[in-house]
Amino acid sequence: MNQYKADLHIHTLLSPCGDLEMSPRNIISAAKQRGLHILGITDHNSTFQAPLVKELGQEAGLFVLCGAEVTTREEIHCLAFFEDDHTLQLFQEYIEDHIPHIPNVPEKFGYQVVVDREETILQHYPWLLINGLDQSLEEVAAKVHSLQGIFIPAHVSRPKFSIISQLGFIPPDLDADALEISRHTTREELFEQFSYLMRWSIIQSSDAHFPEDIGLVYSLFEMEKPTFEEIKKALAGQDGRRVIPSKSLQKP
Amino acid sequence: MKVKELVEKLGLQVFAGHQGLEKEITGGYCADLLSDVMGNSQQGMVWITLQSHKNVIAVASLKELSAVILVNGVKPNADAAEQADAEGIPILGTSARAFEMAGKLWHLLTT
């Protein structure tokens, strides 16, 4: 079994709160520097910038999961990943159908730009991306799974925009593939507080909005090779595959 | 005041949990973060919110709240309504905003 360092929660300059230095090219070079093998590109309610990061990642020998950090009606942040361009596109259409048409004000919230390889701006996305879709947590989970995607509630114990801050506790029957914790806590702290969460795999990610944050924490995947299917298996703990949050790794 | 009197006086819709309409109201709490409601609400309060998730009922039950008022015309998720019927916690509804509903409730309970 091989080991892969994965940071599955990275914003690009498309997110209004993402630094303009978070261009696809800069993200790939920072990830290489930090020794990561797998990246997840998760802009707020948008998938537009992820395919270019994937393309540059392929050229640099990195595996990139394309997805988004969706805000549900309850204002819970959730990561969603898709295997191919087709399902990613279908999920983008779902977002477009459900995002409120409230214009972004870049001076207040930040720029929402899509760039090309040369970092030329192709588009300013019009609607504010940090708003909640008019879809519940369970509806988003069901949509992601109908597209054979991966659904992971983000930074679950953070005091804002998390499933625990918004809903008080995680519904035990939630259809999630894993739970994510932020860089500020550990899996052990989470399980100490909420022991019933032990049935889920826990990933840890940087939620990077600046290049220097990429890979600050990560998830170590033990699996055969870096593919979407293997990642799914590791999250499900199948066939000897597993995932370990970086802060829970044994120190040598 | 009982929940059913509140329903009559404010013209609220009753979505679910009818068997809890006899509950006595001791006060109100207004929040959309369930973690906050778990920490700060008290037994017998009416909870004004726009969250319609089934966890609302779990929190209301845990804290022994008298009823939930959904504002802005929000309707409960189907599983929330089911849970409310099972637990006997009324889910009420109004098209009014939280500010207006809290003001009316405050007025009813204090004058």
Side-chain angles (χ1 to χ4, degrees), chain A residues 5-170:
Chain A
K5 289 183 181 180
D7 186 349
L8 296 185
H9 190 161
I10 298 174
H11 291 268
T12 78
L13 74 185
L14 170 55
S15 294
C17 41
D19 191 47
L20 280 177
E21 287 299 311
M22 289 293 259
S23 67
R25 193 194 298 175
N26 289 351
I27 288 172
I28 293 297
S29 88
K32 286 293 272 189
Q33 265 180 22
R34 304 285 145 75
L36 295 173
H37 307 103
I38 301 171
L39 304 183
I41 299 302
T42 53
D43 283 307
H44 290 294
N45 289 334
S46 180
T47 66
F48 284 135
Q49 198 67 76
L52 176 57
V53 184
K54 183 176 188 172
E55 212 177 291
L56 297 179
Q58 271 165 355
E59 293 166 16
L62 293 175
F63 184 75
V64 176
L65 278 180
C66 291
E69 181 178 25
V70 182
T71 307
T72 71
R73 173 190 288 149
E74 303 87 358
E75 302 207 345
I76 299 166
H77 289 178
C78 299
L79 307 179
F81 297 107
F82 301 92
E83 184 164 15
D84 53 41
D85 293 345
H86 177 62
T87 46
L88 189 71
Q89 170 65 28
L90 290 174
F91 191 70
Q92 179 64 39
E93 287 168 16
Y94 168 77
I95 293 174
E96 305 273 340
D97 285 344
H98 294 287
I99 195 166
H101 288 187
I102 296 171
N104 182 32
V105 183
E107 298 74 27
K108 293 195 191 301
F109 300 110
Y111 289 98
Q112 301 183 157
V113 293
V114 181
V115 300
D116 67 9
R117 202 174 253 272
E118 277 70 47
E119 304 186 359
T120 308
I121 294 175
L122 300 175
Q123 188 196 2
H124 284 264
Y125 188 77
W127 311 124
L128 181 59
L129 290 172
I130 54 176
N131 279 318
L133 307 185
D134 65 352
Q135 290 282 287
S136 71
L137 175 71
E138 283 78 6
E139 285 169 329
V140 174
K143 181 66 187 185
V144 173
H145 286 143
S146 77
L147 298 170
Q148 290 78 48
I150 295 172
F151 179 78
I152 304 177
H155 41 66
V156 293
S157 52
R158 213 176 69 159
K160 56 183 182 178
F161 297 121
S162 78
I163 190 165
I164 291 174
S165 76
Q166 306 306 105
L167 291 187
F169 62 96
I170 300 180

Side-chain angles (χ1 to χ4, degrees), chain A residues 74 138 165-167 169 173, chain B residues 33-35 53-55:
Chain A
E74 303 87 358
E138 283 78 6
S165 76
Q166 306 306 105
L167 291 187
F169 62 96
D173 57 352
Chain B
L33 295 181
L34 277 62
S35 51
H53 193 271
K54 69 174 174 192
N55 274 21

